[in-house]
Amino acid sequence: MRVDVVASPLRYRRAPLFLLVGLAIVPAVGLLVGRQWLDAEADRYDNSRAAVAELEEGGSSGPVDSSARSIATAAQRAVLSTSLFDYRRMPEPVADLADANRLAENIKPLFGFLNPTSCFAVSANGVDVTMYQGELPVVPASTLKLVLAAVALEVLGSDYTFATTVRIPPVVDGVVDGDVFLVGGGDPLLTADDYSIENDSFPAFNTTSLDVLADAFVANGVERINGRVIGDGSRYDDEFVVEGWGDGVAFNDAGPYDALLVNDSRVRDRSGTQDDPNSAAARELARLLSNRGVRVNNGWGSGQASTLVTVIGTVTSAPLSDIVNEMLINSDNNTAEMLLKELGVADSGQGTRAAGLGVIDRTLAEWGIHLDGVRLLDGSGLHPQNTVTCQAMLQVLQRVRGSAVATGLPIAGDTGTLRSEFLTSPLVGKLFAKTGTLGNPPVDEPPLASKALAGYVDAGNGDTLEFVLILNDNEIADETYASLWQVFAERFDSYPAGPDAAELAPR
């Protein structure tokens, strides 16, 4: 059967609008690109002619160098002889594509070592390279803090700070007749100067000094308090831990926390965390006051500040970028849960977990993140029923590449939760990532355990790899995840492996 390919006016009338627009645009774009190319080539031709002329005249360096003249002449001929539509006209993007393809080829054989309940994704400079089960919902563990950090910096801003105040009734002859109040503003890193944190697995840094507020009492002439020190964390609700965390997590790995938190709810010379973070903070302030000769007659407690008191002292936290850095480096669970509630306060005035999660969901949707399979129940990643996808996590990493999130991550073999990892890897000092670990006792029942790693690799040539590797299984032995991390790191280190732009230039 013969097909007539001659277009008639009727055929054009029936053609879709987008096709007609495309037919009109293509020649215009071609002319524009062609003109830009011709201008560039003319400049290159003139420059190469000038170089040859200078060489033939001896230049400023002496007699003609025949080898240099040959190189310049060859370069000139290559530019002029290469076809307009040859791939060598665009050596940089072709080189990038070759590098990405080679990386994908190197990584894909490793997918055979991943089980059906795990996922992986990698991109180069924000462009997807390859993935394994990228749309599979998996338990992210603490890599969820990456998502929280990205949203918090977007919504609150990197310069956002938290203010903690002390409020008291009038001072008469050095005496305060009534209760004084320590009012929390959501600062997760408020710490007494003499509280020892050196023995913590990951000592807090970028902390805020509680002593500044104790000094404010002395500066205002307070010598005796005929009442109590009351800790006020009413900025947030009174959910001190998350219902649904696994056995042994609450009050150990995280919590209790509220808008007022000092020393992670610990008191000097007492073991463990205290049940009420507000009362614990008030007790620490009472101790610091006693050290300064200020007597507190009736101890401490928790409650809401009276409206009939005056602010006599304020201490302000480090900027949010520094607090996020501490959270990511140390995988600080209390900081994460407090930042989640602060998102709710900033957005709707509600310092609740639900309000903060609503902000995250909305922000991710506005960013165009693929949210199928994403279910978030806390900010720290400790909830065993949180799910993300490697695709969604990779999209977040691509968006915040180069931001305070990326620069605040642990460094392989050096800092935070990666200080003891990758010690024999070629990526020491070049891999920046958030770890995640979550067990699942009992091992023969859901949900699955998780071992995760997500972040960036500095390729050394100005390129950046973004990657997500989330392992879910009944049990994940140390040697299992360590071996997988090592082999993936070796593949990452092979990038770039294709020809560079100079090799692909006109010849």
Side-chain angles (χ1 to χ4, degrees):
M1 176 179 177
R2 184 181 173 211
V3 179
D4 184 6
V5 296
V6 178
S8 70
L10 181 59
R11 290 178 183 269
Y12 280 111
R13 285 197 297 270
R14 290 180 177 175
L17 179 58
F18 73 84
L19 179 57
L20 295 178
V21 172
L23 290 171
I25 290 176
V26 169
V29 172
L31 288 173
L32 177 61
V33 172
R35 175 161 184 163
Q36 291 176 337
W37 172 81
L38 287 172
D39 289 343
E41 293 304 292
D43 291 340
R44 292 178 65 180
Y45 179 72
D46 289 343
N47 291 337
S48 63
R49 288 189 63 191
V52 172
E54 182 178 353
L55 287 169
E56 289 177 342
E57 293 171 2
S60 58
S61 57
V64 176
D65 185 329
S66 59
S67 61
R69 182 173 64 246
S70 298
I71 293 172
T73 303
Q76 174 183 312
R77 288 173 178 168
V79 168
L80 295 178
S81 62
T82 301
S83 169
L84 174 60
F85 298 104
D86 194 293
Y87 71 88
R88 294 186 183 278
R89 291 296 178 189
M90 299 182 295
E92 288 82 6
V94 172
D96 292 343
L97 180 61
D99 288 334
N101 288 339
R102 187 67 60 85
L103 179 62
E105 292 172 0
N106 288 341
I107 286 176
K108 284 180 180 179
L110 302 181
F111 293 167
F113 296 97
L114 300 178
N115 61 22
T117 53
S118 300
C119 70
F120 170 82
V122 64
S123 60
N125 302 318
V127 179
D128 292 355
V129 172
T130 188
M131 63 178 59
Y132 170 79
Q133 301 197 131
E135 298 180 356
L136 176 72
V138 291
V139 180
S142 282
T143 56
L144 182 58
K145 293 183 178 76
L146 279 167
V147 177
L148 173 67
V151 173
L153 288 168
E154 171 84 7
V155 173
L156 302 176
S158 61
D159 295 329
Y160 192 87
T161 57
F162 302 86
T164 309
T165 62
V166 284
R167 307 180 187 187
I168 67 174
V171 182
V172 179
D173 296 329
V175 177
V176 174
D177 193 17
D179 294 337
V180 298
F181 300 89
L182 174 62
V183 182
D187 188 342
L189 298 177
L190 196 60
T191 306
D193 290 353
D194 62 354
Y195 186 84
S196 177
I197 59 176
E198 287 76 14
N199 293 327
D200 291 351
S201 298
F202 298 100
F205 59 95
N206 294 334
T207 56
T208 311
S209 174
L210 179 65
D211 290 60
V212 171
L213 298 179
D215 291 339
F217 283 83
V218 176
N220 281 271
V222 178
E223 298 174 358
R224 187 173 78 245
I225 298 170
N226 290 334
R228 299 179 299 166
V229 178
I230 301 296
D232 179 355
S234 60
R235 183 180 182 88
Y236 302 159
D237 65 4
D238 289 332
E239 182 192 58
F240 295 166
V241 296
V242 174
E243 183 179 0
W245 281 347
D247 293 342
V249 172
F251 298 95
N252 290 306
D253 295 316
Y257 50 82
D258 205 354
L260 177 61
L261 183 70
V262 173
N263 307 336
D264 279 324
S265 196
R266 297 175 294 181
V267 174
R268 183 171 175 176
D269 300 326
R270 293 181 66 86
S271 62
T273 58
Q274 307 303 295
D275 291 340
D276 182 344
N278 302 297
S279 180
R283 182 170 185 162
E284 275 292 85
L285 179 58
R287 180 180 66 81
L288 295 180
L289 290 174
S290 177
N291 291 346
R292 287 161 173 76
V294 178
R295 192 170 74 192
V296 180
N297 285 345
N298 292 317
W300 50 84
S302 62
Q304 192 164 354
S306 167
T307 58
L308 303 177
V309 292
T310 303
V311 174
I312 64 162
T314 300
V315 64
T316 302
S317 73
L320 182 61
S321 55
D322 288 346
I323 291 175
V324 163
N325 177 224
E326 193 275 344
M327 178 184 74
L328 295 174
I329 291 287
N330 288 346
S331 199
D332 192 322
N333 296 312
N334 286 340
T335 296
E337 298 302 340
M338 291 174 70
L339 286 184
L340 180 64
K341 292 187 177 184
E342 189 66 19
L343 286 173
V345 171
D347 181 68
S348 62
Q350 300 179 36
T352 67
R353 181 164 52 100
L357 290 170
V359 176
I360 291 179
D361 287 344
R362 187 181 69 239
T363 303
L364 294 179
E366 291 172 352
W367 289 351
I369 306 299
H370 296 152
L371 295 179
D372 289 346
V374 176
R375 181 179 184 234
L376 307 184
L377 297 171
D378 66 8
S380 62
L382 290 175
H383 202 297
Q385 294 178 349
N386 286 316
T387 59
V388 300
T389 66
C390 276
Q391 179 187 46
M393 186 70 78
L394 187 70
Q395 287 179 308
V396 173
L397 289 170
Q398 290 169 345
R399 180 178 179 87
V400 299
R401 180 164 52 102
S403 73
V405 176
T407 58
L409 290 169
I411 304 172
D414 187 15
T415 60
T417 56
L418 283 181
R419 67 190 180 194
S420 300
E421 304 286 354
F422 296 98
L423 295 178
T424 61
S425 166
L427 293 186
V428 168
K430 298 194 294 183
L431 183 144
F432 307 78
K434 182 73 195 73
T435 59
T437 305
L438 200 60
N440 65 326
V443 298
D444 56 346
E445 296 180 11
L448 297 174
S450 178
K451 190 68 181 183
L453 189 69
Y456 306 89
V457 173
D458 180 358
N461 65 339
D463 289 357
T464 300
L465 303 181
E466 305 89 14
F467 72 93
V468 184
L469 175 61
I470 302 179
L471 308 176
N472 281 186
D473 207 343
N474 289 323
E475 286 186 284
I476 304 173
D478 289 350
E479 56 269 21
T480 298
Y481 87 79
S483 297
L484 282 170
W485 283 10
Q486 185 73 20
V487 295
F488 273 95
E490 291 170 357
R491 298 304 192 275
F492 292 153
D493 191 54
S494 71
Y495 180 94
D500 61 25
E503 294 177 277
L504 295 171
R507 59 179 58 184

